[in-house]
């Protein structure tokens, strides 16, 4: 699946710059920045004979690169704080570095990169010169061979593994460039890192219209004043006490004109819903779901269900109120799908941020499949759904994650510059997403769990104010000599769509304790 | 008092003329001209002249004022003119207005009409993105910021709940579409003349607003339709057998809304149509089994199922089987899915043809036809009968 088929890839990632050493270069930064302020009209692009691009395959992207710092406790601690990762293996007297941090040790940081190859500069020069000036990171696949410990000296080599033919995606037209990096610690292979970026010319941005405005008059202004104060107000009849919605100047039950309001608890369920496909409207990207929410207080309200893909909205889905700013002038009461009902059917509460790692796991899946005893969460079954993890995407998380991963791209910390490059705001970098997925998996599988591989693909960006819900499903279980290895499919959904899809291999050593 | 007692309107007036323009996707002329052409055709059909007309009724949504249609159609002084609100819910109510005027002597000959370029001009299906802050605008306004913007979407919200309540899938709507298109296939006036569909075609058609597919949605049409009403006595002297207005009713439910009736009840029925049904059965003295043809408003298929249930033709949740088994001849002109979307007025004309015995899909011996108007809104209905 390439970008063309990922959902809701906004144009806003146009200026995104790949974060890895293997692709970062000053020239690409300038290339992306050159789009700034310009309306993203289709860049004039020139066809590059594919053979000219293919000739780069197999050539070095980075040679004898050296990590700027030895693996060290302060950087590990900063990473764990940013990710909210409380895994005991990353702290204490003899910590290891979180495996998903691997790429961070190779980053150039503020002062730039060393060890980049001529071939790599040439390839990017060729693509920039042909008009493919923007960069977006799309995939990251990491395999961890051995743990990194404080004192390890990091060295790395990278090769240009493949350059794709010209592809047209939702973002624009360009070429995918895949690099593969070997990362060594003290000369010994510690892991591999495959990174795919799209070098592209942004497609013309179609002006996105604003959502239709609420129709506000003297009878219902109080409701919208409540919304502005982040309170969902329900009218209560002064005569008979009946709650009512929509707002009206009198009671249908008794006719009384007297009323006051109560504030909704925010809990509700989906009473009905539709999925809009046609016709398209400027403010909306079909297909999208509109729900009729029955509040806990008994009245109903039309709104959008967020936090689940449009095709997972169901009658009966539990939801919770959330106020979301949809443009400069408009905040709306929206309803976020909660775990505990469809589509998250696992038992147990979602972890709170920074809370105790939950090892309870879900109820055994009735669907059967391989059953392996001894995991810290009890029986590990194919089909088991991990409890969902809800991660508020705060501005501080985005910035702290970028800095902890040594990624100083402006789009991850400077809202003004991010906007100048066509993004509505700053957005989370791929290394932070990777780190959060590492945390999600080890939280579930306990302190003895060893991450083997993490492979992710990005979709809808994580912007401040959104919430990402990570969910996971055990897709395969293998009982090997090193212990039980589970393949877990992970999906991170935000208010726009799927932020990330990926697969993680995690091993539980024999005799591991919960 | 007709919510509780039999009313006195039944049997007083009759439909004596029907007339329409062609039904097209681009009429090439003004809505006023379509209205005037339809009115003239209906008067010709009735054997009456413009000079006979003293009353006119249309929809509040119609852009053609009664006075202007009269002016251009050669109609003189008017003693009665009226318009009915709530979109397609007005259709049968225009006839009720005419019958009320005729029965009380306020007017002698009343023409009801509806004409628009709904396909080539303002298309209802293209949706709504803003409303004025009137009470009516505010009511719709609760849905707009969330992207619930089209008639299909407003119907789909109730349709989804209906499916959930009765454990059905979106395929349940298929029999309505297939039935409409079956009759349209043999109706030369229908847009889909010669083009029947199968349940498989329905199931394969693309989503418009889930759970509604393309083939659950009516057409969009340019055209005009007019209906002439006079007293039963005068009707007996005119060329066609009278279609007697046996019963006519309007209905709005408690906490009624226009298309956004999401906040009341269980969303699995049409309470306003129940109000209509109770009046029609009471006034006509008829039972569902005595209806020979049903012309049920079909802008979207799910509400046809709910209407059958509200009128008591079958139990709640069972209408899809009722339609599939063809237990009642339904929308024999092809309906608004198959013939044309004329805001329900072409359905009134078909009910008249069935009473006259002149439908292209004539049900032999049809003596009582049921016609309904727009659903999801305050609505109306008629039972027409043969004279004597």
């Amino acid at each position: 699946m390439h970008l063309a088929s990922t959902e809701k890839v906004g144009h806003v990632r146009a200026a995104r710059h790949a974060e890895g050493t293997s692709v970062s270069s000053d020239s690409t930064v300038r290339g992306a920045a050159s789009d700034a302020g310009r309306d993203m009209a289709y860049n004039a692009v020139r066809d590059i004979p594919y053979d000219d691009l293919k000739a780069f395959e197999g050539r070095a992207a980075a040679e004898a690169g050296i990590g700027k710092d030895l693996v060290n406790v302060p950087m590990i601690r900063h990473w764990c704080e940013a990710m909210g990762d409380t895994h005991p293996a990353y702290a204490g007297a003899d910590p290891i570095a979180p495996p998903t941090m691997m790429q961070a040790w190779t980053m150039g940081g503020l002062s730039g990169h060393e060890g980049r190859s001529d071939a790599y500069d040439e390839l990017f020069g060729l693509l920039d010169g042909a008009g493919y000036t923007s960069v977006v990171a799309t995939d990251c696949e990491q395999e961890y061979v051995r743990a990194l410990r404080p004192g390890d000296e990091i060295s790395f080599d990278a090769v240009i593994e493949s350059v794709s033919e010209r592809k047209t995606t939702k973002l624009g037209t360009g070429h995918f460039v895949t690099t593969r990096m070997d990362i060594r610690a003290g000369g010994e292979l510690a892991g591999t890192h495959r990174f795919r970026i799209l070098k592209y010319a942004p497609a013309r941005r179609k002006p996105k219209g604003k959502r239709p405005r609420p129709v506000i008059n003297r009878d219902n202004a109080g409701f919208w004043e409540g919304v502005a104060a982040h309170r969902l107000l329900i009218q209560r009849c002064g005569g008979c006490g009946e709650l009512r919605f929509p707002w009206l100047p009198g009671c249908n039950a008794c006719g009384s004109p007297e009323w006051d309001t109560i504030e909704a608890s925010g809990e509700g369920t989906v009473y009905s819903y539709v999925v809009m496909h046609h016709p398209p409207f400027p403010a909306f990207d079909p297909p999208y779901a509109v729900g009729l929410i029955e509040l806990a207080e008994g009245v109903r309200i039309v709104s959008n269900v967020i936090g689940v893909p449009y095709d997972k909205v169901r009658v009966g889905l539990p939801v919770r109120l959330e106020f979301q700013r949809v443009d400069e002038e408009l905040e709306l009461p929206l309803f976020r799908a909660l775990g505990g009902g469809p589509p998250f059917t696992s038992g147990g509460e979602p972890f709170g941020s920074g809370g105790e790692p939950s090892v309870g796991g879900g109820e055994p899946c009735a669907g059967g499949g391989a059953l392996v005893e001894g995991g810290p969460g009890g029986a590990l079954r194919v089909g088991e759904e991990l409890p969902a993890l809800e991660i508020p995407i705060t501005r501080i998380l985005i910035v702290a994650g970028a800095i902890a991963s040594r990624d100083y791209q402006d789009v991850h910390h400077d809202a003004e510059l991010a906007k100048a490059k066509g993004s509505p705001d700053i957005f989370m970098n791929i290394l932070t997403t990777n780190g959060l997925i590492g945390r999600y998996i080890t939280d579930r599988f306990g302190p003895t769990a060893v991450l083997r591989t993490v492979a992710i693909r990005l979709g809808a960006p994580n912007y401040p104010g959104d919430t990402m819900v990570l969910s996971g499903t055990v897709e395969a279980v293998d009982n090997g000599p090193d212990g039980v290895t589970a393949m877990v499919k992970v999906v991170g959904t935000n208010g726009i769509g799927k932020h990330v899809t990926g697969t993680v291999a995690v091993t539980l050593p024999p005799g591991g304790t919960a | 008092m007709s919510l509780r007692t039999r009313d006195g309107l039944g049997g007083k007036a009759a439909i004596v003329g029907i007339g329409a323009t062609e039904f097209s996707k681009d009429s090439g002329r003004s809505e006023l001209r379509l209205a005037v052409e339809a009115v003239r055709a209906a008067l010709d059909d009735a054997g009456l002249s413009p000079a006979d007309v003293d009353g006119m009724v249309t929809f509040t949504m119609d852009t053609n004022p009664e006075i202007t249609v009269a002016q251009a159609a050669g109609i003189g002084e008017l003693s009665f003119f009226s318009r009915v609100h709530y979109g397609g819910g007005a259709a049968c109510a225009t006839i009720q207005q005419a019958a009320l005027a005729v029965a009380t002597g306020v007017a002698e000959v009343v023409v009801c009409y509806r004409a628009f370029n709904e396909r080539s001009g303002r298309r209802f299906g293209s949706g709504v993105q803003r409303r004025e802050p009137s009470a009516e605008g505010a009511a719709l306004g609760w849905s707009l910021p969330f992207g619930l913007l089209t008639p299909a979407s407003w119907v789909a919200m109730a349709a989804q709940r209906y499916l959930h309540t009765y454990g059905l899938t979106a395929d349940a709507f298929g029999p309505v579409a297939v039935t409409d298109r079956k009759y349209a296939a043999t109706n030369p006036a229908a847009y889909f003349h010669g083009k029947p569909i199968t349940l498989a075609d329905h199931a394969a058609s693309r989503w418009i607003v889930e759970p509604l597919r393309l083939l659950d949605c009516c057409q969009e049409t340019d055209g005009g339709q007019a209906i002439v009403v006079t007293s039963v006595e005068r009707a007996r002297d005119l060329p066609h057998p009278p279609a007697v207005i046996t019963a006519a009713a309007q209905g709005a439910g408690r906490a009624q809304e226009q298309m956004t009736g999401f906040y009341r009840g269980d969303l699995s029925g049409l309470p306003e149509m129940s109000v209509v049904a109770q009046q029609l059965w009471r006034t006509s003295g008829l039972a569902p089994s005595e209806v020979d043809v049903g012309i049920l408003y079909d802008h979207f298929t799910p509400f046809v199922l709910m209407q059958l249930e509200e009128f008591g033709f079958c139990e709640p949740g069972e209408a899809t089987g009722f339609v599939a088994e063809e237990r009642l001849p339904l929308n024999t002109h092809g309906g608004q899915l198959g013939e044309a979307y004329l805001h329900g007025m072409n359905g009134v004309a078909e009910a008249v043809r069935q009473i006259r015995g002149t439908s292209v899909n004539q049900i032999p011996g049809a003596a009582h036809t049921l016609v309904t108007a727009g659903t999801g809104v305050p609505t109306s209905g008629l039972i027409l009968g043969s004279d004597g």
Side-chain angles (χ1 to χ4, degrees):
Chain A
M1 186 177 74
H2 281 287
L3 279 179
S5 58
T6 55
E7 298 178 340
K8 313 279 186 194
V9 174
H11 184 81
V12 289
R13 287 200 294 138
R16 180 173 200 151
H17 186 265
E19 293 87 350
T21 299
S22 57
V23 292
S24 291
S25 76
D26 294 339
S27 68
T28 58
V29 174
R30 278 196 300 273
S34 70
D35 287 331
R38 227 199 279 165
D39 186 29
M40 300 275 191
Y42 227 127
N43 287 1
V45 293
R46 175 171 69 74
D47 268 352
I48 305 173
Y50 186 47
D51 284 348
D52 292 1
L53 293 170
K54 196 125 179 94
F56 285 93
E57 291 185 355
R59 295 180 65 183
E63 290 172 299
I66 302 292
K68 291 197 165 178
D69 296 285
L70 301 181
V71 174
N72 63 83
V73 170
M75 281 174 63
I76 292 172
R77 188 170 55 76
H78 294 161
W79 172 280
C80 289
E81 286 181 1
M83 304 302 158
D85 198 332
T86 56
H87 196 286
Y90 309 151
D94 182 26
I96 62 166
T100 53
M101 195 180 170
M102 183 166 70
Q103 188 185 355
W105 304 112
T106 72
M107 295 291 279
L110 263 180
S111 57
H113 296 292
E114 291 155 20
R116 200 177 53 215
S117 75
D118 292 343
Y120 196 74
D121 284 348
E122 259 177 62
L123 172 57
F124 273 65
L126 183 60
L127 290 165
D128 284 331
Y132 306 106
T133 52
S134 294
V135 181
V136 56
T138 62
D139 299 75
C140 172
E141 301 169 22
Q142 297 181 334
E143 182 178 359
Y144 313 112
V145 177
R146 86 148 170 84
L148 297 177
R149 293 194 146 77
D152 281 338
E153 184 185 56
I154 301 298
S155 59
F156 52 93
D157 293 282
V159 64
I160 300 168
E161 202 171 62
S162 67
V163 185
S164 78
E165 293 186 52
R166 193 163 79 161
K167 304 278 187 188
T168 297
T169 73
K170 279 189 180 176
L171 287 176
T173 295
H175 297 268
F176 287 94
V177 178
T178 307
T179 54
R180 182 179 179 279
M181 178 185 285
D182 288 335
I183 292 157
R184 297 187 182 77
E188 182 189 347
L189 186 68
T192 60
H193 170 59
R194 181 178 283 115
F195 206 69
R196 184 169 299 124
I197 56 117
L198 174 66
K199 275 290 283 175
Y200 68 101
R204 185 180 297 278
R205 182 175 5 158
K206 73 174 178 222
K208 178 121 174 141
K210 287 184 174 171
R211 284 183 182 231
R213 302 294 96 175
V215 179
I216 303 176
N217 63 18
R218 291 177 181 181
D219 293 325
N220 65 24
F223 174 82
W224 293 102
E225 286 160 13
V227 169
H230 289 192
R231 301 173 73 218
L232 188 74
L233 298 178
I234 303 169
Q235 280 181 309
R236 177 173 56 190
C237 177
C240 67
E242 180 93 350
L243 299 179
R244 67 174 181 261
F245 194 91
W247 277 43
L248 289 171
C251 176
N252 185 250
C254 75
S256 168
E258 303 298 326
W259 56 272
D260 62 2
T261 60
I262 64 160
E263 183 176 353
S265 68
E267 305 298 322
T269 55
V270 174
Y271 189 80
S272 191
Y273 66 97
V274 304
V275 179
M276 302 289 290
H277 291 262
H278 184 82
F281 292 94
F284 300 94
D285 293 319
Y288 62 94
V290 185
L292 177 63
I293 310 303
E294 187 159 86
L295 299 177
E297 291 78 10
V299 299
R300 300 180 200 145
I301 180 173
V302 171
S303 182
N304 297 114
V305 180
I306 57 174
V308 283
Y310 69 88
D311 58 352
K312 293 288 189 282
V313 177
R314 294 290 179 270
V315 172
L317 183 71
V319 292
R320 183 179 294 141
L321 172 68
E322 195 171 287
F323 290 92
Q324 222 173 70
R325 176 163 295 285
V326 295
D327 57 49
E328 303 82 62
E329 297 114 36
L330 185 59
E331 274 191 286
L332 290 176
L334 305 181
F335 288 83
R336 181 170 294 282
L338 298 180
F344 306 118
T345 54
S346 60
E349 288 294 304
F351 317 147
S353 177
E356 289 294 309
S358 165
V359 292
E363 295 297 314
C365 175
L371 173 63
V372 178
E373 300 294 341
L380 186 59
R381 279 180 183 273
V382 171
E384 178 192 329
E385 294 186 16
L386 276 57
L389 172 59
E390 204 168 290
I391 298 173
I393 308 301
T394 58
R395 198 167 290 278
I396 192 72
L397 171 61
I398 293 169
V399 175
I403 301 310
S405 57
R406 310 270 297 142
D407 181 349
Y408 291 88
Q409 294 301 321
D410 50 27
V411 290
H412 305 313
H413 64 259
D414 188 321
E416 289 309 308
L417 291 175
K419 282 175 189 163
K421 289 180 177 175
S423 172
D425 206 330
I426 62 168
F427 53 88
M428 182 177 286
N429 72 347
I430 194 169
L431 285 86
T432 303
T433 300
N434 215 34
L436 292 171
I437 285 179
R439 167 191 158 193
Y440 177 55
I441 295 298
T442 52
D443 275 0
R444 159 63 183 88
F445 288 92
T448 64
V450 179
L451 290 179
R452 296 294 186 188
T453 63
V454 174
I456 62 171
R457 168 159 295 171
L458 292 190
N462 270 341
Y463 297 117
D466 207 338
T467 300
M468 176 169 69
V469 179
L470 287 172
S471 59
T473 309
V474 177
E475 295 221 309
V477 176
D478 180 52
N479 218 337
D482 299 338
V484 180
T485 298
M487 299 298 290
V488 184
K489 182 176 163 62
V490 179
V491 178
T493 305
N494 62 24
I496 311 173
K498 279 182 186 165
H499 168 67
V500 60
T501 54
T503 304
V504 178
V506 57
T507 298
L508 308 171
T513 55
Chain B
M1 292 304 285
S2 64
L3 280 175
R4 293 170 194 87
T5 60
R6 180 176 174 154
D7 67 56
L9 185 61
K12 300 273 171 55
I15 295 173
V16 294
I18 54 176
T21 65
E22 82 289 0
F23 303 134
S24 75
K25 300 301 175 191
D26 186 358
S27 71
R29 51 208 196 276
S30 72
E31 294 185 333
L32 177 59
R33 186 165 153 191
L34 294 174
V36 171
E37 286 180 23
V39 167
R40 284 177 169 277
L43 289 171
D44 287 348
D45 179 67
L48 293 168
S49 78
D52 295 312
V53 177
D54 55 2
M56 300 192 77
V57 186
T58 188
F59 296 46
T60 53
M61 274 185 87
D62 203 278
T63 62
N64 308 295
E66 305 92 307
I67 52 171
T68 314
V69 174
Q71 199 173 349
I75 295 168
E77 294 172 341
L78 298 174
S79 59
F80 177 70
F81 33 92
S82 175
R83 297 200 197 186
V84 185
H85 198 44
Y86 308 118
C92 297
T94 63
I95 311 301
Q96 186 197 36
Q97 288 281 297
L100 285 164
V102 165
T104 54
V106 167
E108 287 185 29
V109 174
V110 181
V111 183
C112 308
Y113 63 91
R114 178 77 173 109
F116 52 22
N117 286 320
E118 197 278 330
R119 177 61 179 78
S120 66
R122 188 193 148 205
R123 300 177 64 173
F124 302 164
S126 61
V128 175
Q129 294 194 69
R130 63 184 308 276
R131 275 285 188 263
E132 296 303 316
S134 61
E136 196 164 276
L140 192 61
W142 297 105
S143 297
L144 301 183
F146 307 100
L148 197 71
L149 303 171
T150 61
S153 72
W154 304 323
V155 171
M157 191 65 87
Q160 184 80 268
R161 186 70 197 184
Y162 176 86
L163 295 179
H164 172 80
T165 299
Y166 298 114
L168 301 170
T169 71
D171 291 346
F173 308 137
V176 175
V178 169
T179 299
D180 273 6
R181 294 290 294 272
K182 179 186 87 167
Y183 287 120
T186 53
N187 173 8
Y191 181 74
F192 284 117
H193 179 230
K195 293 179 180 168
I197 59 166
T198 63
L199 287 173
D201 293 332
H202 171 266
S205 68
R206 67 189 168 97
W207 293 119
I208 299 300
V209 181
E210 290 178 56
L212 300 188
R213 300 179 181 280
L214 177 66
L215 293 179
D216 291 308
C217 304
C218 66
Q219 305 175 49
E220 294 186 288
T221 301
D222 286 8
Q225 175 80 56
I227 309 283
V228 182
V229 176
T230 191
S231 66
V232 171
E233 292 71 30
R234 186 163 181 181
R236 289 176 182 139
D237 298 332
L238 295 172
H240 294 289
V244 177
I245 299 164
T246 304
Q250 283 187 296
R254 179 171 279 278
Q256 180 74 45
E257 302 241 341
Q258 292 186 64
M259 300 304 286
T260 53
F262 308 141
Y263 313 102
R264 60 169 186 181
D266 65 7
L267 223 59
S268 297
L270 297 166
E272 59 280 358
M273 197 57 89
S274 175
V275 175
V276 170
Q278 290 166 41
Q279 297 175 75
L280 293 183
W281 295 139
R282 189 185 305 116
T283 295
S284 68
L286 297 171
S289 60
E290 295 171 277
V291 169
D292 301 302
V293 182
I295 308 293
L296 301 186
Y297 197 91
D298 56 345
H299 51 0
F300 300 99
T301 56
F303 283 175
V304 175
L305 300 182
M306 294 188 200
Q307 288 182 77
L308 287 165
E309 294 164 11
E310 295 290 0
F311 273 97
F313 287 101
C314 60
E315 293 298 311
E318 294 183 355
T320 183
F322 181 89
V323 177
E325 291 162 18
E326 301 190 61
R327 286 161 58 189
L328 173 71
L330 209 56
N331 297 349
T332 48
H333 55 323
Q336 301 190 93
L337 275 73
E339 186 186 63
Y341 176 70
L342 252 291
H343 242 165
M345 291 296 266
N346 52 324
V348 177
E350 173 65 9
V352 172
R353 286 189 292 265
Q354 287 288 354
I355 296 298
R356 291 178 177 181
T358 60
S359 169
V360 294
N361 294 308
Q362 183 62 42
I363 303 305
H368 295 111
T369 57
L370 169 68
V371 200
T372 60
T375 40
V377 291
T379 189
S380 53
L382 300 172
I383 291 176
L384 301 183
S386 48
D387 189 22

